[in-house]
Every structure is written in structure tokens, then in C-alpha cells.
């Protein structure tokens, strides 16, 4: 009975953050090793088990330095909350020293926000990395590698969660309130990430989390977010 309760209470929390954006875009990498294409990393199965058709694999050799794997959103910018990585089982040493970026360009070395940089010791081959940034690309980057083969990237599965800029909700189907600065909000709850635009609020006061004017709307505007101007408001 206890188990049943736990399942029911945790389920909605996990699904609400699991909108995977990798169906919307393309994957590329620095070089291909024997048909292990970059797209393999965004296709199931969700596992660390390696095969050339299930994982990506960049070319080996010191000339392949640096190695990178990149995902480009087809719709422009996304607010990236988390990036989930399943690396090849038994090869954590190749993952050692990797960096993960959110960027607005495909420049190498990456020019953007460093979501994560692996520290000393071998990393876990399965990781969920928080990024909480806006970007058009996600880049897994490795310029370390051993003295024999240079850096090699073998990604068996990657999921990028978040929403297209301007949208939120479990399936990213809700539009962010127009009172949010740049109509931009957090994918999980619609909060105005960059604050709210208080022009239509009494005393210019609004709540950054909800986007609502805390003391009401100035004359001529109605609605929770004071977004309704010359329209009929039915409460
Ligand atoms: C990408 O561009 C947007 C809009 O200009 C900006 O807010 C964001 O911080 C940029 N992202 C990165 C990773 O530089
Ligand atoms: C999200 O999409 C799934 C699959 O299409 C659907 O079953 C679910 O009801 C949707 N959830 C919401 C909150 O719209
Ligand atoms: C929405 O989520 C963000 C990130 O987790 C958090 O900082 C913010 O406080 C939340 N807003 C509300 C209204 O819960």
C-alpha cells in the first residue's frame, strides 16, 4: 500500500519536467567512427550499452582533437532545464574532463554558457546535468583524451529537457504571459525568468514568480496579468 502511494505522489512531479526536445532538431559531431552517427545518441534505447548502431562515436586519433557532439534546435531558442546523458558503459575514462555548453552559435571551441565541467576523478556514465539557460545549441565538448587516441565521444543516449522559448507546461503548450520580459518564462511553472514588465501595474509592482500585478492594473487594463486592454473581460 505504501508503495502505491509513493508511485502516485511522485509520478506527476517526474513527468512535468520530462519534455524531451531532441525530436526537434539535428545532431552533428566532429567526425564519425565506422558509421556510429551522431543521431544514434538521440534515438532509443535509453541505455549505456554500446553498439555502433545504438551510440554515437567520434573518430579516434590525435588529429581528431578536440572532439565534440552538438545538438541544434530547429525552432530557434530553447530554455534548457536539464540534459540527461548515458555514456558508453565501461568507458568513463574517455568521458573524463568533458564540458557541456548551451550556446547560440556552432563555434568550436564553444562560445556560450558552460552548464557543467567534469572535475577530478572518473565521471558517472549516467548523469542529469542542470543548465537553466537559453540557447540554440547544446554542445558536449572534449579536448582532453589520452595520449594514444586523443579525445573520443561515445554517447548512447541524450535527452534535453526544457521548452521552446516563450512556452511552458508539461508539453510546452502554454504560452508565457506577455507581461514577462521578452515573453519568456520558466518551462516548469510559467514564472517570468527575467522578471515581469510592470508598465501596466499599479505602482509598477508585479510578482516575478507569477507575473501578476500585485496591486492591480492601471486604468485601461484588466485581467490577472493586466494583458487585456481594449477587450471585454469576463471574470
Ligand atoms: C542566447 O541568446 C539569448 C537572446 O539573446 C540570450 O538571452 C542567452 O543568454 C544566449 N545564450 C547563451 C548561452 O549565450
Ligand atoms: C502531454 O502530451 C501527452 C502525449 O501527447 C498527453 O498524453 C498528455 O495528456 C499531455 N499533457 C498535458 C498536460 O497536456
Ligand atoms: C518556478 O520554478 C523556478 C525554477 O525552479 C523557481 O525559481 C520559481 O520560484 C518557481 N515559481 C513558482 C511560482 O513556483
Amino acid at each position: 500500500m505504501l508503495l502505491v502511494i509513493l508511485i502516485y505522489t511522485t509520478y506527476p512531479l517526474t513527468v512535468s519536467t520530462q519534455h524531451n526536445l531532441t525530436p526537434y532538431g539535428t545532431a552533428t559531431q566532429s567526425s564519425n567512427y565506422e558509421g556510429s552517427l551522431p543521431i544514434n545518441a538521440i534515438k532509443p534505447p535509453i541505455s549505456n550499452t554500446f553498439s555502433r548502431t545504438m551510440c554515437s562515436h567520434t573518430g579516434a586519433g590525435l588529429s581528431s582533437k578536440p572532439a565534440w557532439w552538438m545538438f541544434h534546435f530547429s525552432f530557434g531558442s530553447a530554455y534548457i532545464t536539464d540534459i540527461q546523458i548515458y555514456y558508453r558503459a565501461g568507458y568513463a575514462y574517455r568521458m573524463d574532463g568533458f564540458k557541456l555548453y548551451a550556446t547560440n552559435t556552432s563555434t568550436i571551441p564553444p562560445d556560450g554558457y558552460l552548464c557543467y565541467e567534469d572535475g577530478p576523478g572518473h565521471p558517472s556514465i549516467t548523469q542529469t546535468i542542470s543548465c537553466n539557460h537559453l540557447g540554440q545549441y547544446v554542445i558536449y565538448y572534449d579536448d582532453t583524451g589520452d595520449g594514444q587516441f586523443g579525445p573520443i565521444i561515445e554517447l548512447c543516449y541524450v535527452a534535453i529537457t526544457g521548452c521552446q522559448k516563450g512556452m511552458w507546461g508539461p508539453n510546452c503548450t502554454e504560452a508565457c504571459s506577455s507581461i514577462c520580459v521578452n515573453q519568456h518564462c520558466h518551462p516548469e511553472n510559467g514564472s517570468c525568468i527575467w522578471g515581469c514588465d510592470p508598465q501596466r501595474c499599479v505602482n509598477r509592482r508585479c510578482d516575478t514568480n507569477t507575473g501578476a500585478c500585485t496591486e492591480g492594473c492601471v486604468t485601461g487594463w484588466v485581467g490577472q496579468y493586466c494583458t487585456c486592454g481594449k477587450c471585454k473581460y469576463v471574470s
Side-chain angles (χ1 to χ4, degrees), residues 16-17 79 81-82 132 163 167-170 185-191:
S16 69
T17 58
Y79 187 84
T81 52
D82 301 291
N132 289 312
C163 283
M167 306 299 283
W168 70 282
C185 66
H186 197 281
E188 275 170 40
N189 56 24
S191 281

Side-chain angles (χ1 to χ4, degrees), residues 59-65 148-152:
L62 292 176
S63 62
S64 65
K65 194 173 176 170
Q148 190 185 0
F149 295 116
I152 293 174

Side-chain angles (χ1 to χ4, degrees), residues 106-199:
S106 56
T107 309
I108 296 293
D111 177 19
Y113 179 72
L114 179 63
C115 305
Y116 184 77
E117 177 171 7
D118 179 51
H122 286 177
S124 163
I125 56 165
T126 306
Q127 298 205 16
T128 299
I129 294 167
S130 289
C131 187
N132 289 312
H133 247 78
L134 194 63
Q136 299 175 41
Y137 298 82
V138 168
I139 304 176
Y140 180 110
Y141 182 74
D142 192 346
D143 60 358
T144 61
D146 61 31
Q148 190 185 0
F149 295 116
I152 293 174
I153 298 174
E154 297 152 293
L155 295 167
C156 293
Y157 187 71
V158 174
I160 302 168
T161 55
C163 283
Q164 178 174 3
K165 183 184 181 306
M167 306 299 283
W168 70 282
N171 293 336
C172 303
T173 47
E174 310 290 322
C176 297
S177 164
S178 65
I179 206 165
C180 294
V181 168
N182 287 345
Q183 201 172 353
H184 185 43
C185 66
H186 197 281
E188 275 170 40
N189 56 24
S191 281
C192 302
I193 292 165
W194 293 330
C196 42
D197 176 359
Q199 293 184 69

